[in-house]
Amino acid sequence: MDNRETILQVKNLNKVFGEEVKTQVLFDLNLEIKKGEFMSLIGPSGSGKSTFLNILGALERPTSGEIIFEGRNINTLNDKDLARFRNQYLGYIFQFHYLFPEFSALENVLLPYLINHSVKTPEIIKKAENLLGMVELSGFEDRKINKLSGGQQQRVAIARSFINDPKIILADEPTGALDTSTSRAIMKLMREYNNESGTTFIIVTHDRNIAGSTERIVELVDGKISKDFSPKEIGEAQAWKELERHACTDCDTLEK
Ligand SMILES: Nc1ncnc2c1ncn2[C@@H]1O[C@H](COP(=O)(O)OP(=O)(O)OP(=O)(O)O)[C@@H](O)[C@H]1O
Ligand SMILES: [Mg+2]
């Protein structure tokens, strides 16, 4: 039994794209996510993972259904309140970073803070520096984003997602463009942060090795939840079986 409190609840969620030609992408999804959960959302390309994550992250609105954050239905918020809600409670790590290439690593980490504050206090600068230290980028504070490697940029994106102490971090293929050892280091970093801060993580991936390192795996196929399990509960061997048809990197070293 998972007796942690619920942080996010999805009720009968549907998403249809298009006005004249309608395409339904998500079908009647129901899901309950607990506070502090470290979960992954896996599924083939086009199954609706990013669409679902964007709706969970209040970046997109559902066609019907409810997203309830700590007991509050966020669909009823207007655009301005929704923007404030996102900034206050959510952090995002997306594959294409959305970092500002002409700004330094430190300035990028501070951006979510500056949306709601007009001045940078010495405390927040120190916090941003500490976060860069945590992702092993001390000494790179003043380096422009376009002068950093892909893995370094990804780590800036992670540090940035932590700056406002979000309650939920949403990550879309956070390791998608990285080599295996960098991917593992990034996953480890996120897990450590999850353990220390209790922040909930929802990580989209199509890679079963990444999914296998999370505490709960939800599989989406054709816009429907087809599996929802904990690798720890069902055992590693069974978990690999459940994930058999998913892509994986570096299978030789992890699969026996
Ligand atoms: N804005 C949009 N308008 C119309 N259709 C869309 C839109 N965004 C996504 N889709 C469609 O919805 C389906 C699900 O897309 P989504 O990006 O959620 O998939 P995904 O599981 O994230 O795939 P991938 O692993 O390739 O990133 C796809 O068929 C896609 O073409
Ligand atoms: Mg996607």
Side-chain angles (χ1 to χ4, degrees), residues 17 25 44-51 173:
F17 283 116
V25 173
S45 180
S47 57
K49 303 181 297 295
S50 296
T51 306
E173 304 272 6

Side-chain angles (χ1 to χ4, degrees), residues 6-11 66-75:
T6 300
I7 188 160
L8 201 64
Q9 197 175 2
V10 177
K11 282 189 184 167
E66 293 175 14
I67 308 288
I68 298 162
F69 174 85
E70 293 189 334
R72 204 158 45 124
N73 184 352
I74 61 168
N75 299 347

